Amino acid sequence: MQSATCRLPFLLQEIFERYKGSLSIDDLADFYAKLNSALGSRLVAFARQFIDNQTITVFSNAGKSSFLAVITEDCSIKKKRKKKLVHLLPDVNFCFCKSFQTKVLKLGEAYTCEHVLALRLAFLLDNCVNCIQFKEVQPHKFDNLLKEFASASLQGSGDNFSHKMTLGLEYINYRFVGCLENIKTFAAGIRSVGFGDHGIFHINEDGLRCTVEQGKCIQANLFITPSCFSDYHVDGLVHFTINMNVLIECLSIFAGTDCSMKMFYKDDDPLVIILEPHDEDNIRTECSIKTTHYDETMDFSLDADSHSLNTVFIKGREMANIFHDLDKSAEELQITLSPRKPYFKVETLGVMQSECSIEVAKTSEMMILFNCKNITTGRYKISLMRATQRAMLAASKVAIKTDLTGLLEMHFMMQDENQAEVYAQFYITPVVEND
């Protein structure tokens, strides 16, 4: 039995090759007899019904280098007659229908399904009965058809093979494809660095980085690792600039509702984002956001080998409370790190100098790590520090680093529901005192 099954593809190929071209009535009878013997009369009968009663359309891109077939199938759903689209790739023995997923992939009791066979019959018979409608479409429309084909698997059985095949189709012509099961942490991260008008995206195999700057005083970098994505594909190094306000508005369309997201990008094209709420089966939104060429960003960094580098880790909620309790009307903020008391001190400065101050001991419960070798003091504009507020509220822990140069580096660690790490990094330049 196993030997016969292995020979079936070659036997079918011989049958179709033998009767290729214009067929007479006698040839057709002989052809269907051999096909019935190989695949069974029931499967062949169903396939012939599709050719006689259903619409088969084959779409191609402008260069006719790629093809996608769609069979419009009449079906009954809850006693109502409806049309269902079945997407197929010509010359590929695969279908998302229940018959193929169950009988072919799971049980192994059939070689193919009626949809795949009907498409193959249609190509063989088209010269004499014109049973295929051929349509050439523009590249962007063909890409949309591929997305529809890919989304068919999400409504199917979830089989690993079909899932992998879907991913391969989604990657066609795209430099970057990313899928998130839930956008909650991603959206919070984007909002946390959304203080500037434009974000510069850098995407490679190590993950996604979004950089936002304001003048030469502050820079924020949002880092998202591939482990945060359910599916992640990138071709080389991808970079583009996008309007942050528009991106945040798109991510807020289903505010308060859990939803999944897919991102697609290819060179010089808009970034395409597809959002699908978890609790709605028939709703999805597609956003197309214009991108531009990216500009070089400022190169901020602290010397990790510097003898004056001080580092502290503090619990995120407690750090947010510290900044919340500071004087809101102050113009500047001063941060002191010291190996001796006051250890970690934050104070606001105004016209009357020190207005408010908070000290945290290195043994405090809110302190996760304390590594200070020298006394460092830096003054920063309150307006720049406020840009970190959203990141601070979303963070589980905050890292603060600085040295004798006064450059302030802050890391805000966030985790998604699967414990994958997302973090935002801020660089803030100190206030330079006039001589």
Side-chain angles (χ1 to χ4, degrees), residues 335-403:
I335 296 177
T336 300
L337 292 172
S338 171
R340 298 175 297 277
K341 194 174 181 180
Y343 303 111
F344 177 62
K345 182 179 181 180
V346 182
E347 56 189 320
T348 56
L349 303 174
V351 178
M352 302 300 294
Q353 294 303 313
S354 181
E355 302 287 349
C356 172
S357 66
I358 296 176
E359 297 180 10
V360 180
K362 66 178 181 180
T363 56
S364 170
E365 291 184 356
M366 70 174 66
M367 192 73 69
I368 300 173
L369 179 145
F370 185 88
N371 185 11
C372 295
K373 301 174 183 178
N374 294 278
I375 299 175
T376 56
T377 301
R379 294 171 58 186
Y380 312 94
K381 288 189 176 297
I382 286 283
S383 58
L384 297 179
M385 297 300 298
R386 287 198 188 104
T388 68
Q389 186 175 4
R390 286 184 178 273
M392 198 173 297
L393 290 172
S396 59
K397 55 185 175 180
V398 180
I400 299 176
K401 300 180 181 182
T402 189
D403 59 15

Side-chain angles (χ1 to χ4, degrees), residues 290-309:
K290 182 180 178 181
T291 61
T292 57
H293 292 290
Y294 82 106
D295 297 322
E296 293 292 336
T297 57
M298 293 180 290
D299 185 17
F300 287 116
S301 65
L302 289 172
D303 184 1
D305 298 324
S306 172
H307 295 295
S308 65
L309 181 65

Side-chain angles (χ1 to χ4, degrees), residues 19 21-34 48 125 128-129:
Y19 295 96
S22 181
L23 297 175
S24 65
I25 294 178
D26 291 337
D27 287 338
L28 276 176
D30 189 44
F31 168 72
Y32 281 127
K34 286 183 168 54
R48 294 179 65 179
L125 302 174
C128 51
V129 294

